Amino acid sequence: MPTLVWIILAAVFTAILTWAGAQAQFKATRRQMARKLRRAEAEVRVNTSEAERILGSIELGVIAYNTEGRLVTANRAARILIPRPPKTFRDFLEAYGQDAAFRSSVFLGSPLAVTVYRRENLCLRLQVQTRGVGAGGANRLVLIQDFSRQDKEERMRKEFVANVSHELKTPLTTIKTYSESLIDWGLAEKSEEAQRKDLQRIYDDSIRMEKLISDLLLLSSLDARGFHTTVEQGDPAWLIRQTCERMQYQAEEKQIELSCQIMNNIPAVYLDRAALERILTNLVSNALKYSPEKSKVAVYVGAVREEVYFKVKDQGFGIPAEDQAHIFDRFFRVDQTGSRQHGGTGLGLSIVKELVELHRARIDLNSVLGQGTEFTVMMPTAKKVLRETLHALIENEAQQDIITAAAAEDLSALARQLGIVAKWTSMTSSEKQALETIINADSEAELLSAQA
């Protein structure tokens, strides 16, 4: 009996040990599986986060729909272009798939369908990729590219070419017509006065073509950043006064009183003399052309805070409010007939705006129909440009334009005078302060004192 009991106890004890071992093994396996599951979940989270980060960083808009046609994800770029992405792919097609060929391609299961969506100033290129076509449906990936700027530039290019063709065709037609008249009729068949009138028309339109081509070449060089400039610190008041004096004869032809009023102590600005002269010449010339006889055209030059301004004010016809937003557009004319009568090309004010922006300046328009027009050009003073350029160089944020380049050269010369050899980004606060003291010096005495 004791032997049997011991056998039973041994069996029970063995069973308990086996069960305990199995439980321990099961728990260890479960812990191992839990660790693997946590690692897998962490990897999924990392991969998902990385995928979302990548999708969010690219400029290409991406919208994904699952096999049931429901929205899965849309990156930041897509939500900028389409603020409220459609919740279903069917809604997407209803909103953005107006093109019948595009919709047919999608419904037929084409792996790639492309369309262009336009609304007002928005132009989007939409590309739908269809994947995993089967009984359960298909996954669809929508790629969105913003072509608004390219579309606008293309439309402007076509309009520009059409306008240039039209503007050149008009004088060419006149030249051809009057030349044929002289050839067909013969010089002997026309009076000397008639011949002179025909030749004068030919000459006038050849001058008009020459001016148009000159303006087109200037705009082309400005667009291509190939405009030759010599930027330096200069006195704008002297240049403006000289330009106004040179244009007095045009004012006298229409008995218009052209005046130039300059405030005292006009600070220096960074300027290209030829470009600034062209800006003022175009503005004053327009004021004289569109002002009635025996009226007044005034040019004012002054300074306010850290800007130098000059304005051209006339007593002409004025510009309608609805046209003022387009006055600087190329080939835009308020009065088509009047502009051609005065020999305008429709490019003068667009050239003015380009040259003004070249100086990091701005031009404003104030016009009342029937009372006159006032153009005001605001230019930063040389001191302001130098301070801003110094700060930008130290912070390594300098702009790439001709004004900043000229200011940077002047700052380098000042730094050499002070014996500063450090690079801009490693310049000390005392060296920076020394440069700013020279920049802000208002007189020669203060300048010499600062340099000492």
Side-chain angles (χ1 to χ4, degrees):
M1 187 68 180
T3 303
L4 181 60
V5 171
W6 281 110
I7 292 173
I8 293 173
L9 290 174
V12 170
F13 183 72
T14 302
I16 292 173
L17 288 177
T18 303
W19 177 82
Q23 286 292 321
Q25 182 66 27
F26 175 74
K27 289 180 179 180
T29 303
R30 188 170 62 178
R31 285 195 298 270
Q32 185 178 7
M33 292 178 64
R35 284 195 298 269
K36 289 181 178 179
L37 182 61
R38 285 195 296 271
R39 283 198 298 269
E41 289 175 347
E43 289 178 3
V44 169
R45 284 195 299 270
V46 169
N47 291 336
T48 302
S49 176
E50 182 68 13
E52 291 178 350
R53 186 186 67 79
I54 293 173
L55 283 175
S57 65
I58 62 177
E59 296 182 0
L60 183 69
V62 179
I63 301 177
Y65 293 94
N66 62 15
T67 55
E68 296 177 352
R70 296 188 179 279
L71 177 67
V72 176
T73 186
N75 68 347
R76 184 178 63 86
R79 293 182 184 277
I80 292 174
L81 299 173
I82 301 178
R84 295 180 180 179
K87 297 298 183 182
T88 67
F89 185 69
R90 181 180 295 275
D91 293 338
F92 172 82
L93 285 180
E94 289 295 329
Y96 299 96
Q98 294 94 339
D99 183 12
F102 169 73
R103 293 171 66 92
S104 299
S105 181
V106 171
F107 287 138
L108 291 173
S110 174
L112 181 63
V114 180
T115 188
V116 175
Y117 172 80
R118 287 186 175 87
R119 189 188 68 232
E120 297 177 355
N121 295 325
L122 182 67
C123 178
L124 302 178
R125 183 178 184 272
L126 305 176
Q127 179 178 310
V128 176
Q129 296 182 4
T130 302
R131 302 176 179 179
V133 180
N139 294 302
R140 289 188 171 92
L141 193 66
V142 181
L143 305 180
I144 310 168
Q145 290 177 285
D146 187 0
F147 274 76
S148 302
R149 182 176 60 83
Q150 294 91 329
D151 186 63
K152 181 180 178 182
E153 290 176 352
E154 180 63 18
R155 282 188 284 107
M156 289 177 64
R157 184 189 66 80
K158 291 179 179 178
E159 291 174 3
F160 184 75
V161 170
N163 284 326
V164 170
S165 301
H166 176 74
E167 293 297 330
L168 288 174
K169 184 178 180 180
T170 303
L172 277 173
T173 300
T174 302
I175 292 172
K176 179 182 177 182
T177 301
Y178 281 86
S179 299
E180 287 177 344
S181 173
L182 289 171
I183 293 171
D184 293 342
W185 283 83
L187 297 180
E189 298 293 331
K190 285 193 171 187
S191 65
E192 184 176 342
E193 181 64 21
Q195 293 176 28
R196 198 173 72 81
K197 287 182 178 180
D198 288 353
L199 291 173
Q200 185 66 46
R201 286 296 302 270
I202 293 173
Y203 175 76
D204 290 343
D205 275 37
S206 67
I207 294 298
R208 180 181 168 190
M209 286 182 61
E210 182 182 38
K211 187 176 186 306
L212 175 61
I213 292 171
S214 175
D215 287 347
L216 289 171
L217 290 174
L218 176 56
L219 282 172
S220 177
S221 64
L222 287 170
D223 289 342
R225 298 294 187 268
F227 181 65
H228 177 70
T229 56
T230 305
V231 176
E232 59 187 354
Q233 291 191 43
D235 178 11
W238 178 86
L239 184 61
I240 291 170
R241 184 187 293 110
Q242 293 294 316
T243 304
C244 288
E245 290 178 358
R246 193 182 67 253
M247 300 188 71
Q248 284 293 340
Y249 78 95
Q250 295 183 24
E252 292 171 0
E253 288 180 349
K254 292 184 66 175
Q255 301 178 44
I256 293 176
E257 181 185 337
L258 174 59
S259 62
C260 183
Q261 302 179 32
I262 299 176
M263 303 291 290
N264 292 330
N265 301 321
I266 303 299
V269 298
Y270 277 97
L271 55 85
D272 177 274
R273 295 182 181 276
L276 185 60
E277 184 178 350
R278 176 135 193 180
I279 292 170
L280 186 64
T281 299
N282 280 11
L283 293 177
V284 174
S285 178
N286 277 351
L288 295 174
K289 285 177 183 178
Y290 304 116
S291 293
E293 292 185 354
K294 298 182 180 180
S295 60
K296 295 181 179 180
V297 172
V299 178
Y300 301 92
V301 186
V304 54
R305 295 178 182 166
E306 290 192 306
E307 289 186 309
V308 172
Y309 69 85
F310 64 89
K311 62 177 64 178
V312 179
K313 185 175 182 180
D314 64 47
Q315 297 175 336
F317 312 122
I319 302 170
E322 62 271 16
D323 291 332
Q324 293 182 18
H326 305 285
I327 198 65
F328 296 106
D329 293 350
R330 297 179 183 184
F331 292 108
F332 181 81
R333 290 188 178 93
V334 175
D335 178 6
Q336 297 280 345
T337 304
S339 292
R340 287 194 171 88
Q341 178 184 349
H342 294 293
T345 63
L347 295 174
L349 287 177
S350 60
I351 290 174
V352 165
K353 190 172 187 296
E354 295 272 0
L355 293 176
V356 166
E357 292 176 348
L358 199 70
H359 286 81
R360 281 175 57 182
R362 69 181 189 275
I363 183 168
D364 298 320
L365 165 66
N366 181 25
S367 183
V368 179
L369 199 62
Q371 296 184 21
T373 301
E374 179 180 286
F375 287 96
T376 303
V377 176
M378 306 291 293
M379 304 178 67
T381 63
K383 288 184 179 182
K384 181 181 180 181
V385 172
L386 284 168
R387 281 199 304 273
E388 290 178 348
T389 303
L390 177 61
H391 176 77
L393 289 171
I394 291 174
E395 298 297 327
N396 199 25
E397 298 174 351
Q399 302 178 19
Q400 298 297 321
D401 59 70
I402 60 172
I403 301 299
T404 301
E409 288 184 7
D410 289 348
L411 287 170
S412 297
L414 288 175
R416 287 194 295 271
Q417 291 177 18
L418 294 174
I420 299 174
V421 295
K423 294 182 179 180
W424 296 114
T425 53
S426 58
M427 187 173 290
T428 65
S429 58
S430 60
E431 290 172 336
K432 177 185 175 183
Q433 185 176 2
L435 280 170
E436 288 179 338
T437 301
I438 293 181
I439 292 171
N440 295 323
D442 290 325
S443 65
E444 186 176 352
E446 289 182 7
L447 179 60
L448 292 174
S449 175
Q451 291 176 332

